[in-house]
Amino acid sequence: MKNFFAFCFFLFTAAAFSQNQGAIRGTVADKAMNNEPMLFANVQLKGADTSFQTNFHGNFEISELNPGIHTLVVSYAGYETQEIEVVVKSNEITEVYSEVSPMQINFDDVEGMDAVLKEDTLRK
C-alpha cells in the first residue's frame, strides 16, 4: 500500500511540473523571393546558448519553455537580423511567422570605394 501511494504521488508531481511549459512554433520566409521558405535560417532565444535551424520548409519549433515573454532572434547570412517578442503561455503553442529581407549594401559607406570608382571612370 505504501508503494501505491508513493507511485501515485510521483505521477501527480510529474504531471504538475510538466503542465507549466509552453512552446514556440514558426516559419521563416524570404520576403524578397515571394515568401519562399528560408532553409536553415538560425532561430535563437535571446540570451540563450542554444540555437535552432529551420527545416526544408522554413519551419522551426522550440519546446519546453517557461511561460512569459521571450525574444526570438532570426538571422541568415546576407539578410537583416530580426528580433521578435513572443508571449509563451502554459500548455500552449505560440505560432510565429517571420519574413526576412536581404541586407541593403550602400557602397558610399565602404572605405576605399571612392578610389575604385574614380579609377573605373578614368579607364572609360
Side-chain angles (χ1 to χ4, degrees), residues 22-24 65-71 84-90 92-96:
I24 300 172
L65 294 173
N66 291 328
I69 299 173
H70 297 275
T71 303
I84 305 165
E85 282 196 0
V86 180
V87 177
V88 175
K89 297 179 182 177
S90 295
E92 289 186 21
I93 298 174
T94 304
E95 296 281 337
V96 176

Side-chain angles (χ1 to χ4, degrees), residues 3 24 30 50 69 95 109-110 118:
N3 290 338
I24 300 172
D30 186 343
T50 56
I69 299 173
E95 296 281 337
D109 297 337
V110 178
K118 282 182 186 177

